[in-house]
Amino acid sequence: RLPEGSTIDVDVLMAGTSLEAVELPGLGRELLEGVDVDASAGFTAWLLGERRRLQALGGSVLREGALRALASGNARKAVELATRMVAADALNEDAHALLIRAFAGTDDRVAVERQLSASVDLFRRERGVEPGPELAEAAVVEPERTAPVVAAGRPALQALLESGEAAVNAGAIEAGLESLRSAVSGSRDAGQTEVEAAALLALGS
């Protein structure tokens, strides 16, 4: 029995809001990290499945939190969250692109170039291929978002829409709905009718 007032991080991740989940100290870490029970094949199989499912949920929450931080002008928070995404899934190109965009949001061109170079080198070394154009595009587009009118621009709204759909597909329904609602209201305010229509369709679905 846990003491009164105890918090279980998995419960917050699965049933709480994304605002609550993003503050979890262990978000992005592995479920029952360091625990392996070789004597039980059934438990091992269950644990592997749950680790993968919760990793996907955690990644969606980190992504949404980073996008929300970027949209609100808090690029340094976005860097922190995107860095944790990359640490949890080092070969996820979307995570690397988001981290580069976050660095660009801080107006630190040196950090942007270093991260872009490090990310490209990683994919060349680990996969033997060139990463997609999204990494270079992230390094170019993000500085424009320092202007207020671009904070709710199409790229940011599109990313918010995609993160909402990804969260829903991963099972984080409430977190996904929050992102989709934000995409609807943001695109409406910015006059981005195509993104608004896509967000409304996703939200309705």
Side-chain angles (χ1 to χ4, degrees):
R1 296 181 181 179
L2 295 174
E4 185 177 350
S6 297
T7 299
I8 301 176
D9 52 5
V10 174
D11 285 346
V12 176
L13 180 60
M14 295 179 64
T17 67
S18 65
L19 289 172
E20 295 170 333
V22 81
E23 298 299 329
L24 291 171
L27 185 61
R29 302 283 293 273
E30 192 175 66
L31 173 67
L32 297 181
E33 194 171 65
V35 175
D36 291 295
V37 182
D38 295 332
S40 174
F43 178 80
T44 299
W46 170 85
L47 183 58
L48 177 61
E50 289 301 295
R51 280 174 171 169
R52 289 178 175 173
R53 184 168 71 93
L54 293 173
Q55 182 182 31
L57 284 172
S60 296
V61 170
L62 286 170
R63 177 179 172 80
E64 182 179 352
L67 289 170
R68 184 166 50 234
L70 275 175
S72 65
N74 191 351
R76 296 194 180 281
K77 180 67 173 179
V79 167
E80 175 197 336
L81 297 175
T83 298
R84 290 164 66 182
M85 282 182 64
V86 171
D89 191 358
L91 295 180
N92 183 334
E93 283 194 37
D94 288 341
H96 284 265
L98 184 53
L99 178 56
I100 293 169
R101 288 170 57 195
F103 272 124
T106 66
D107 288 332
D108 188 342
R109 293 303 305 172
V110 174
V112 172
E113 294 301 327
R114 286 179 177 173
Q115 183 58 51
L116 176 59
S117 177
S119 296
V120 171
D121 288 345
L122 174 68
F123 285 100
R124 286 174 178 169
R125 184 176 65 253
E126 297 295 329
R127 287 186 171 174
V129 298
E130 292 291 324
E134 292 79 11
L135 299 189
E137 291 172 0
V140 174
V141 173
E142 184 61 22
E144 301 176 2
R145 297 179 58 186
T146 57
V149 293
V150 188
R154 186 184 180 95
L157 292 167
Q158 186 67 37
L160 194 58
L161 167 60
E162 292 172 3
S163 72
E165 292 177 320
V168 170
N169 291 335
I173 305 300
E174 289 302 320
L177 290 178
E178 283 184 36
S179 285
L180 293 174
R181 292 187 186 110
S182 297
V184 169
S185 61
S187 57
R188 184 171 297 157
D189 292 341
Q192 295 286 345
T193 54
E194 290 184 8
V195 180
E196 180 186 356
L200 283 169
L201 178 61
L203 188 60
S205 300

